[in-house]
């Protein structure tokens, strides 16, 4: 399940999104401008890079690995087996899809219920 953050971003999220301006091309398609499949992807757990959509799969941490369970906001490692899941979330900035994973507490801060 992917939650979409469609409200006014928090100061934290705005600061992360500013990193897009300094991000390097993360795949040869973005680097060369040839064969780019949009939306481009900026993942908050790999904030230095923007890749095209198909190449973003390479940015994903291995399922169940420590980085797969680490909250991008507070850097806490969630323990899904103890009812403490990580929540995949996404927001969009222009043609760039921004992916992030949040613990329950941080999700509440970013997506008021
Ligand atoms: Zn690519
Ligand atoms: Zn968190």
């Amino acid at each position: 399940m992917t939650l979409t953050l469609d409200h006014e971003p928090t100061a934290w999220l705005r600061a992360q999104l500013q990193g897009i301006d300094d991000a390097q091309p993360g795949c040869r398609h973005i680097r060369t401008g040839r064969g780019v499949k949009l939306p481009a992807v900026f993942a908050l757990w790999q904030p230095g890079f923007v890749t095209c959509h198909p190449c973003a799969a390479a940015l994903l941490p291995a399922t169940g690995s420590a980085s797969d369970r680490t909250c991008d906001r507070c850097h806490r490692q969630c323990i899904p087996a103890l009812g403490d899941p990580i929540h995949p979330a996404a927001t969009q900035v222009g043609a760039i899809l921004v992916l992030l994973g949040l613990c329950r507490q941080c999700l509440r801060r970013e997506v008021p219920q």
Side-chain angles (χ1 to χ4, degrees):
M1 180 186 61
T2 299
L3 296 158
T4 302
L5 311 176
D6 59 357
H7 70 109
E8 182 72 14
T10 62
W12 172 79
L13 187 56
R14 276 202 304 273
Q16 306 307 304
L17 298 180
Q18 279 169 7
I20 292 174
D21 293 341
D22 300 321
Q24 303 296 311
C27 72
R28 65 189 164 88
H29 307 106
I30 300 273
R31 207 173 297 126
T32 62
R34 282 197 294 265
V36 176
K37 301 226 173 35
L38 295 176
V41 174
F42 180 73
L44 288 195
W45 57 86
Q46 287 259 334
F49 302 98
V50 172
T51 70
C52 73
H53 200 76
C55 295
L59 297 179
L60 291 173
T63 303
S65 67
S67 51
D68 188 40
R69 291 182 280 117
T70 301
C71 175
D72 290 317
R73 193 179 198 275
C74 69
H75 303 294
R76 189 172 67 79
Q77 220 181 91
C78 296
I79 309 169
L82 297 180
D84 178 26
I86 185 100
H87 298 271
T91 188
Q92 190 143 1
V93 178
I96 298 180
L97 183 68
V98 179
L99 301 178
L100 60 160
L102 296 174
C103 72
R104 184 178 298 143
Q105 289 83 354
C106 291
L107 183 72
R108 272 202 208 110
R109 290 184 189 114
E110 296 299 332
V111 187
Q113 304 297 309

